PDB file of all heavy atoms in Angstrom:
ATOM      1  N   ALA A 760      10.210  57.875 -69.642  1.00 46.00           N
ATOM      2  CA  ALA A 760       9.397  57.710 -70.852  1.00 46.00           C
ATOM      3  C   ALA A 760       8.952  59.051 -71.422  1.00 46.00           C
ATOM      4  O   ALA A 760       8.285  59.100 -72.450  1.00 46.00           O
ATOM      5  CB  ALA A 760       8.178  56.847 -70.545  1.00 46.00           C
ATOM      6  N   GLY A 761       9.321  60.146 -70.736  1.00 45.00           N
ATOM      7  CA  GLY A 761       8.962  61.456 -71.256  1.00 45.00           C
ATOM      8  C   GLY A 761       7.548  61.878 -70.939  1.00 45.00           C
ATOM      9  O   GLY A 761       7.011  62.790 -71.564  1.00 45.00           O
ATOM     10  N   ARG A 762       6.894  61.232 -69.952  1.00 47.00           N
ATOM     11  CA  ARG A 762       5.510  61.567 -69.638  1.00 47.00           C
ATOM     12  C   ARG A 762       5.455  62.700 -68.621  1.00 47.00           C
ATOM     13  O   ARG A 762       6.050  62.608 -67.565  1.00 47.00           O
ATOM     14  CB  ARG A 762       4.768  60.347 -69.069  1.00 47.00           C
ATOM     15  CG  ARG A 762       4.578  59.211 -70.061  1.00 47.00           C
ATOM     16  CD  ARG A 762       3.694  58.139 -69.443  1.00 47.00           C
ATOM     17  NE  ARG A 762       4.369  57.518 -68.302  1.00 47.00           N
ATOM     18  CZ  ARG A 762       4.991  56.349 -68.365  1.00 47.00           C
ATOM     19  NH1 ARG A 762       5.058  55.681 -69.490  1.00 47.00           N
ATOM     20  NH2 ARG A 762       5.564  55.840 -67.288  1.00 47.00           N
ATOM     21  N   ASN A 763       4.754  63.754 -68.920  1.00 50.00           N
ATOM     22  CA  ASN A 763       4.472  64.781 -67.924  1.00 50.00           C
ATOM     23  C   ASN A 763       3.117  65.423 -68.167  1.00 50.00           C
ATOM     24  O   ASN A 763       2.784  66.420 -67.582  1.00 50.00           O
ATOM     25  CB  ASN A 763       5.564  65.859 -67.889  1.00 50.00           C
ATOM     26  CG  ASN A 763       5.522  66.752 -69.125  1.00 50.00           C
ATOM     27  OD1 ASN A 763       4.981  66.366 -70.152  1.00 50.00           O
ATOM     28  ND2 ASN A 763       6.101  67.934 -69.006  1.00 50.00           N
ATOM     29  N   GLU A 764       2.312  64.837 -69.030  1.00 65.00           N
ATOM     30  CA  GLU A 764       0.974  65.330 -69.336  1.00 65.00           C
ATOM     31  C   GLU A 764       0.002  64.159 -69.329  1.00 65.00           C
ATOM     32  O   GLU A 764       0.379  63.017 -69.596  1.00 65.00           O
ATOM     33  CB  GLU A 764       0.941  66.005 -70.712  1.00 65.00           C
ATOM     34  CG  GLU A 764       1.736  67.308 -70.784  1.00 65.00           C
ATOM     35  CD  GLU A 764       1.022  68.448 -70.096  1.00 65.00           C
ATOM     36  OE1 GLU A 764      -0.207  68.365 -69.912  1.00 65.00           O
ATOM     37  OE2 GLU A 764       1.697  69.438 -69.735  1.00 65.00           O
ATOM     38  N   ILE A 765      -1.267  64.440 -69.014  1.00 70.00           N
ATOM     39  CA  ILE A 765      -2.300  63.428 -69.149  1.00 70.00           C
ATOM     40  C   ILE A 765      -2.609  63.268 -70.630  1.00 70.00           C
ATOM     41  O   ILE A 765      -2.882  64.249 -71.321  1.00 70.00           O
ATOM     42  CB  ILE A 765      -3.575  63.827 -68.383  1.00 70.00           C
ATOM     43  CG1 ILE A 765      -3.268  63.932 -66.888  1.00 70.00           C
ATOM     44  CG2 ILE A 765      -4.686  62.823 -68.622  1.00 70.00           C
ATOM     45  CD1 ILE A 765      -4.422  64.443 -66.066  1.00 70.00           C
ATOM     46  N   LYS A 766      -2.556  62.027 -71.113  1.00 74.00           N
ATOM     47  CA  LYS A 766      -2.800  61.766 -72.529  1.00 74.00           C
ATOM     48  C   LYS A 766      -4.039  60.897 -72.682  1.00 74.00           C
ATOM     49  O   LYS A 766      -4.163  59.867 -72.010  1.00 74.00           O
ATOM     50  CB  LYS A 766      -1.587  61.075 -73.158  1.00 74.00           C
ATOM     51  CG  LYS A 766      -0.311  61.911 -73.114  1.00 74.00           C
ATOM     52  CD  LYS A 766       0.863  61.162 -73.704  1.00 74.00           C
ATOM     53  CE  LYS A 766       2.131  62.006 -73.633  1.00 74.00           C
ATOM     54  NZ  LYS A 766       3.303  61.281 -74.182  1.00 74.00           N
ATOM     55  N   PRO A 767      -4.970  61.291 -73.532  1.00 74.00           N
ATOM     56  CA  PRO A 767      -6.168  60.474 -73.746  1.00 74.00           C
ATOM     57  C   PRO A 767      -5.827  59.151 -74.422  1.00 74.00           C
ATOM     58  O   PRO A 767      -4.831  59.058 -75.143  1.00 74.00           O
ATOM     59  CB  PRO A 767      -7.032  61.357 -74.648  1.00 74.00           C
ATOM     60  CG  PRO A 767      -6.063  62.263 -75.337  1.00 74.00           C
ATOM     61  CD  PRO A 767      -4.944  62.492 -74.374  1.00 74.00           C
ATOM     62  N   GLN A 768      -6.644  58.157 -74.158  1.00 73.00           N
ATOM     63  CA  GLN A 768      -6.520  56.833 -74.773  1.00 73.00           C
ATOM     64  C   GLN A 768      -5.149  56.210 -74.519  1.00 73.00           C
ATOM     65  O   GLN A 768      -4.579  55.549 -75.395  1.00 73.00           O
ATOM     66  CB  GLN A 768      -6.806  56.915 -76.285  1.00 73.00           C
ATOM     67  CG  GLN A 768      -8.210  57.407 -76.585  1.00 73.00           C
ATOM     68  CD  GLN A 768      -8.485  57.527 -78.071  1.00 73.00           C
ATOM     69  OE1 GLN A 768      -7.562  57.589 -78.884  1.00 73.00           O
ATOM     70  NE2 GLN A 768      -9.765  57.555 -78.444  1.00 73.00           N
ATOM     71  N   SER A 769      -4.632  56.466 -73.322  1.00 76.00           N
ATOM     72  CA  SER A 769      -3.357  55.856 -72.950  1.00 76.00           C
ATOM     73  C   SER A 769      -3.322  55.696 -71.433  1.00 76.00           C
ATOM     74  O   SER A 769      -4.177  56.211 -70.718  1.00 76.00           O
ATOM     75  CB  SER A 769      -2.181  56.711 -73.426  1.00 76.00           C
ATOM     76  OG  SER A 769      -2.190  57.969 -72.781  1.00 76.00           O
ATOM     77  N   VAL A 770      -2.327  54.960 -70.945  1.00 83.00           N
ATOM     78  CA  VAL A 770      -2.170  54.770 -69.506  1.00 83.00           C
ATOM     79  C   VAL A 770      -1.517  56.021 -68.909  1.00 83.00           C
ATOM     80  O   VAL A 770      -0.471  56.466 -69.377  1.00 83.00           O
ATOM     81  CB  VAL A 770      -1.311  53.535 -69.212  1.00 83.00           C
ATOM     82  CG1 VAL A 770      -1.045  53.417 -67.709  1.00 83.00           C
ATOM     83  CG2 VAL A 770      -1.980  52.275 -69.737  1.00 83.00           C
ATOM     84  N   ASN A 771      -2.151  56.594 -67.890  1.00 79.00           N
ATOM     85  CA  ASN A 771      -1.621  57.779 -67.229  1.00 79.00           C
ATOM     86  C   ASN A 771      -1.355  57.438 -65.762  1.00 79.00           C
ATOM     87  O   ASN A 771      -2.270  56.998 -65.058  1.00 79.00           O
ATOM     88  CB  ASN A 771      -2.616  58.937 -67.329  1.00 79.00           C
ATOM     89  CG  ASN A 771      -2.813  59.403 -68.753  1.00 79.00           C
ATOM     90  OD1 ASN A 771      -2.004  60.129 -69.305  1.00 79.00           O
ATOM     91  ND2 ASN A 771      -3.911  58.963 -69.369  1.00 79.00           N
ATOM     92  N   ARG A 772      -0.139  57.649 -65.318  1.00 82.00           N
ATOM     93  CA  ARG A 772       0.244  57.290 -63.953  1.00 82.00           C
ATOM     94  C   ARG A 772       0.385  58.557 -63.115  1.00 82.00           C
ATOM     95  O   ARG A 772       1.172  59.449 -63.449  1.00 82.00           O
ATOM     96  CB  ARG A 772       1.553  56.495 -63.954  1.00 82.00           C
ATOM     97  CG  ARG A 772       1.472  55.226 -64.778  1.00 82.00           C
ATOM     98  CD  ARG A 772       2.734  54.397 -64.672  1.00 82.00           C
ATOM     99  NE  ARG A 772       2.701  53.284 -65.608  1.00 82.00           N
ATOM    100  CZ  ARG A 772       2.054  52.139 -65.409  1.00 82.00           C
ATOM    101  NH1 ARG A 772       1.394  51.964 -64.267  1.00 82.00           N
ATOM    102  NH2 ARG A 772       2.076  51.185 -66.313  1.00 82.00           N
ATOM    103  N   ALA A 773      -0.371  58.603 -62.040  1.00 81.00           N
ATOM    104  CA  ALA A 773      -0.308  59.764 -61.153  1.00 81.00           C
ATOM    105  C   ALA A 773       1.029  59.802 -60.420  1.00 81.00           C
ATOM    106  O   ALA A 773       1.660  58.766 -60.178  1.00 81.00           O
ATOM    107  CB  ALA A 773      -1.451  59.725 -60.148  1.00 81.00           C
ATOM    108  N   LYS A 774       1.431  61.019 -60.065  1.00 82.00           N
ATOM    109  CA  LYS A 774       2.655  61.181 -59.278  1.00 82.00           C
ATOM    110  C   LYS A 774       2.430  60.667 -57.860  1.00 82.00           C
ATOM    111  O   LYS A 774       3.285  60.010 -57.279  1.00 82.00           O
ATOM    112  CB  LYS A 774       3.058  62.657 -59.253  1.00 82.00           C
ATOM    113  CG  LYS A 774       4.397  62.936 -58.603  1.00 82.00           C
ATOM    114  CD  LYS A 774       4.722  64.425 -58.637  1.00 82.00           C
ATOM    115  CE  LYS A 774       6.064  64.711 -57.986  1.00 82.00           C
ATOM    116  NZ  LYS A 774       6.346  66.170 -57.957  1.00 82.00           N
ATOM    117  N   PHE A 775       1.264  60.980 -57.299  1.00 83.00           N
ATOM    118  CA  PHE A 775       0.852  60.438 -56.009  1.00 83.00           C
ATOM    119  C   PHE A 775      -0.642  60.629 -55.864  1.00 83.00           C
ATOM    120  O   PHE A 775      -1.285  61.283 -56.689  1.00 83.00           O
ATOM    121  CB  PHE A 775       1.614  61.089 -54.842  1.00 83.00           C
ATOM    122  CG  PHE A 775       1.427  62.579 -54.723  1.00 83.00           C
ATOM    123  CD1 PHE A 775       0.454  63.105 -53.902  1.00 83.00           C
ATOM    124  CD2 PHE A 775       2.246  63.455 -55.428  1.00 83.00           C
ATOM    125  CE1 PHE A 775       0.293  64.466 -53.781  1.00 83.00           C
ATOM    126  CE2 PHE A 775       2.089  64.818 -55.313  1.00 83.00           C
ATOM    127  CZ  PHE A 775       1.106  65.330 -54.497  1.00 83.00           C
ATOM    128  N   SER A 776      -1.218  60.070 -54.811  1.00 85.00           N
ATOM    129  CA  SER A 776      -2.668  60.147 -54.613  1.00 85.00           C
ATOM    130  C   SER A 776      -2.986  60.312 -53.138  1.00 85.00           C
ATOM    131  O   SER A 776      -2.150  60.013 -52.268  1.00 85.00           O
ATOM    132  CB  SER A 776      -3.366  58.903 -55.156  1.00 85.00           C
ATOM    133  OG  SER A 776      -2.941  57.745 -54.458  1.00 85.00           O
ATOM    134  N   ILE A 777      -4.190  60.801 -52.865  1.00 86.00           N
ATOM    135  CA  ILE A 777      -4.686  60.971 -51.501  1.00 86.00           C
ATOM    136  C   ILE A 777      -6.087  60.381 -51.443  1.00 86.00           C
ATOM    137  O   ILE A 777      -6.896  60.602 -52.345  1.00 86.00           O
ATOM    138  CB  ILE A 777      -4.733  62.457 -51.098  1.00 86.00           C
ATOM    139  CG1 ILE A 777      -3.333  63.068 -51.078  1.00 86.00           C
ATOM    140  CG2 ILE A 777      -5.384  62.629 -49.721  1.00 86.00           C
ATOM    141  CD1 ILE A 777      -3.327  64.573 -50.838  1.00 86.00           C
ATOM    142  N   VAL A 778      -6.371  59.609 -50.402  1.00 91.00           N
ATOM    143  CA  VAL A 778      -7.719  59.083 -50.177  1.00 91.00           C
ATOM    144  C   VAL A 778      -8.300  59.794 -48.965  1.00 91.00           C
ATOM    145  O   VAL A 778      -7.704  59.775 -47.881  1.00 91.00           O
ATOM    146  CB  VAL A 778      -7.712  57.559 -49.953  1.00 91.00           C
ATOM    147  CG1 VAL A 778      -9.127  57.055 -49.714  1.00 91.00           C
ATOM    148  CG2 VAL A 778      -7.091  56.854 -51.145  1.00 91.00           C
ATOM    149  N   ASN A 779      -9.449  60.439 -49.149  1.00 92.00           N
ATOM    150  CA  ASN A 779     -10.061  61.230 -48.088  1.00 92.00           C
ATOM    151  C   ASN A 779     -11.504  60.824 -47.849  1.00 92.00           C
ATOM    152  O   ASN A 779     -12.182  60.292 -48.749  1.00 92.00           O
ATOM    153  CB  ASN A 779     -10.050  62.718 -48.457  1.00 92.00           C
ATOM    154  CG  ASN A 779      -8.817  63.441 -47.937  1.00 92.00           C
ATOM    155  OD1 ASN A 779      -8.326  63.136 -46.850  1.00 92.00           O
ATOM    156  ND2 ASN A 779      -8.324  64.393 -48.711  1.00 92.00           N
ATOM    157  N   ALA A 780     -11.963  61.115 -46.642  1.00 95.00           N
ATOM    158  CA  ALA A 780     -13.402  61.103 -46.370  1.00 95.00           C
ATOM    159  C   ALA A 780     -13.938  62.424 -46.888  1.00 95.00           C
ATOM    160  O   ALA A 780     -13.647  63.481 -46.325  1.00 95.00           O
ATOM    161  CB  ALA A 780     -13.661  60.950 -44.878  1.00 95.00           C
ATOM    162  N   GLY A 781     -14.674  62.391 -47.992  1.00 93.00           N
ATOM    163  CA  GLY A 781     -15.123  63.608 -48.640  1.00 93.00           C
ATOM    164  C   GLY A 781     -16.556  63.963 -48.293  1.00 93.00           C
ATOM    165  O   GLY A 781     -17.319  63.162 -47.765  1.00 93.00           O
TER     166      GLY A 781
END
Side-chain angles (χ1 to χ4, degrees):
R762 294 187 294 260
N763 71 339
E764 292 285 339
I765 297 175
K766 298 178 181 179
Q768 299 178 341
S769 64
V770 175
N771 294 281
R772 302 185 188 280
K774 187 179 180 183
F775 60 94
S776 63
I777 296 174
V778 180
N779 268 324

